[in-house]
């Protein structure tokens, strides 16, 4: 995951609100969330609370367990849109919300630009994010963060992340096999909104991108702001997927400007 291999960045004139890149990781010796035992889940949390304490510099921060969380802290995490909550019907059906909220929690650094969710859909969801469209800065922080977390887990337990030579990093959901990486931006596309979501979806398919509403995977669309991300996880490197997202978003922005002009927006 070499940021120097990424060519260019998102056009600074593009109306990008924020950039977020995440990966999932699972630790050898612990079950995946559909079948993990309560004891294993608590073991993951205990290991990670120690591992997070070893992070240095801009990655250093605090781990907040969901169990017994202070209301003021909980509300702040909600306001920051960091907190994951129970109730997703797909996760419940797969048995991923057993013993809620025990063994779950959130780590974030001081600047709130590097996060890790513990025992949500995956054992770990490692996230880098910030306002604006500087994808390279977000990717650089993510790469450093993944390495730092992996090295710390290894130092504390002797365990590695689950990695298959053919299928890549092992996740609870098969759609995340491979890199397990989703690189996304929230961007305003009023021109495409005018011509319709189906047109945007078709164009994103051609660019190997995936459009979503800003409320998440099943939250629906509101306004003219879309979550645009790489479509694939498997069969490409992390650098290739981030490059696809950067190039694709720049194309969408250019086309959206033309659509705005054509429709008098």
């Amino acid at each position: 995951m070499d940021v120097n291999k990424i060519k260019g960045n998102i056009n600074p004139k593009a109306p990008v609100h924020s950039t977020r890149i995440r990966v999932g990781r699972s630790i050898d010796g612990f079950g995946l969330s559909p079948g993990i035992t309560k004891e294993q889940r608590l073991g993951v949390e205990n290991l990670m609370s120690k591992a997070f304490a070893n992070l240095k510099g801009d990655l250093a921060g605090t781990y907040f367990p969901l169990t017994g969380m202070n209301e003021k802290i909980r509300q702040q995490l909600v306001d920051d849109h960091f907190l994951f909550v129970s109730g997703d019907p797909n996760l419940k059906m797969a048995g991923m919300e057993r013993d809620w909220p025990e063994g779950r929690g959130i780590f974030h650094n001081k600047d709130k630009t590097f996060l890790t969710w513990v025992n949500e859909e995956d054992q770990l969801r490692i996230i880098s994010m910030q306002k604006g469209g500087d994808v390279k800065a977000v990717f650089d922080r993510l790469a450093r963060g993944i390495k730092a977390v992996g090295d710390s887990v290894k130092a504390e337990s002797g365990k590695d992340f689950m990695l298959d030579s053919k299928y890549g990093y092992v996740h609870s959901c098969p759609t995340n096999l491979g890199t397990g990486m989703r690189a996304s931006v929230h961007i305003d596309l009023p021109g495409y909104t005018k011509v319709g979501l189906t047109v945007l979806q078709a164009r994103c398919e051609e660019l190997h991108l995936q459009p979503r509403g800003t409320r998440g995977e099943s939250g629906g669309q509101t306004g003219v702001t879309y979550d645009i991300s790489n479509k694939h996880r498997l069969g490409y490197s992390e650098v290739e997927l981030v490059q696809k997202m950067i190039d694709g978003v720049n194309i969408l922005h250019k086309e959206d400007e033309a659509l705005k002009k054509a429709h008098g927006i």
Side-chain angles (χ1 to χ4, degrees):
M1 294 179 67
D2 185 356
V3 69
N4 294 314
K5 293 182 179 179
I6 295 173
K7 299 175 183 177
N9 212 333
I10 288 181
N11 185 340
K13 294 182 179 179
V16 173
H17 297 271
S18 61
T19 303
R20 179 181 186 269
I21 310 178
R22 63 84 167 158
V23 299
R25 290 292 185 268
S26 304
I27 303 167
D28 273 334
F30 297 100
L32 303 181
S33 58
I36 194 171
T37 65
K38 180 178 179 179
E39 291 72 23
Q40 285 180 330
R41 193 183 301 110
L42 292 171
V44 170
E45 182 184 40
N46 182 56
L47 169 56
M48 292 314 303
S49 65
K50 295 175 182 176
F52 290 138
N54 296 329
L55 300 185
K56 307 295 183 185
D58 66 327
L59 301 176
T62 306
Y63 176 68
F64 301 95
L66 265 60
T67 304
M69 181 177 284
N70 176 279
E71 177 58 27
K72 185 177 180 180
I73 292 173
R74 190 197 72 82
Q75 189 58 52
Q76 185 61 58
L77 290 170
V78 169
D79 293 344
D80 290 332
H81 304 289
F82 290 171
L83 191 68
F84 59 88
V85 296
S86 65
D88 185 299
N90 295 316
L91 299 189
K92 292 178 76 171
M93 185 67 70
M96 298 183 187
E97 293 197 357
R98 290 170 293 118
D99 308 308
W100 185 275
E102 284 190 275
R104 282 106 172 163
I106 299 172
F107 167 88
H108 69 70
N109 67 346
K110 182 179 177 181
D111 294 332
K112 299 181 179 179
T113 55
F114 179 70
L115 297 79
T116 303
W117 291 354
V118 176
N119 287 321
E120 191 239 7
E121 179 178 323
D122 285 302
Q123 291 175 18
L124 303 177
R125 280 285 173 93
I126 303 173
I127 305 162
S128 177
M129 59 193 291
Q130 67 186 50
K131 298 294 185 183
D134 190 351
V135 180
K136 293 180 78 170
V138 175
F139 184 76
D140 174 66
R141 187 187 308 110
L142 180 73
R144 291 186 293 108
I146 293 170
K147 185 179 188 309
V149 171
D151 288 349
S152 188
V153 167
K154 182 75 169 181
E156 290 290 339
S157 68
K159 298 179 183 295
D160 295 303
F161 292 142
M162 294 186 196
L163 178 62
D164 182 89
S165 59
K166 182 176 181 180
Y167 297 112
Y169 289 99
V170 178
H171 296 71
S172 295
C173 181
T175 62
N176 282 315
L177 287 173
T179 62
M181 192 186 78
R182 183 173 183 272
S184 65
V185 296
H186 283 185
I187 182 172
D188 291 342
L189 297 171
Y192 270 106
T193 302
K194 181 70 175 179
V195 297
L197 179 59
T198 55
V199 177
L200 175 60
Q201 289 172 330
R203 186 63 175 122
C204 284
E205 183 71 23
E206 294 172 347
L207 297 170
H208 294 176
L209 300 176
Q210 182 180 41
R212 294 181 181 178
T214 55
R215 291 176 176 173
E217 189 168 6
S218 55
Q221 173 59 27
T222 58
V224 300
T225 308
Y226 297 84
D227 179 303
I228 305 293
S229 67
N230 56 292
K231 180 181 179 181
H232 301 103
R233 310 281 185 269
L234 184 65
Y236 299 89
S237 71
E238 290 87 351
V239 167
E240 288 173 323
L241 293 177
V242 169
Q243 192 69 59
K244 279 177 180 285
M245 191 271 278
I246 290 173
D247 295 343
V249 167
N250 282 333
I251 290 170
L252 289 176
H253 167 60
K254 184 177 180 180
E255 293 173 348
D256 196 74
E257 289 296 302
L259 287 169
K260 283 167 60 181
K261 187 174 182 179
H263 291 276
I265 300 174

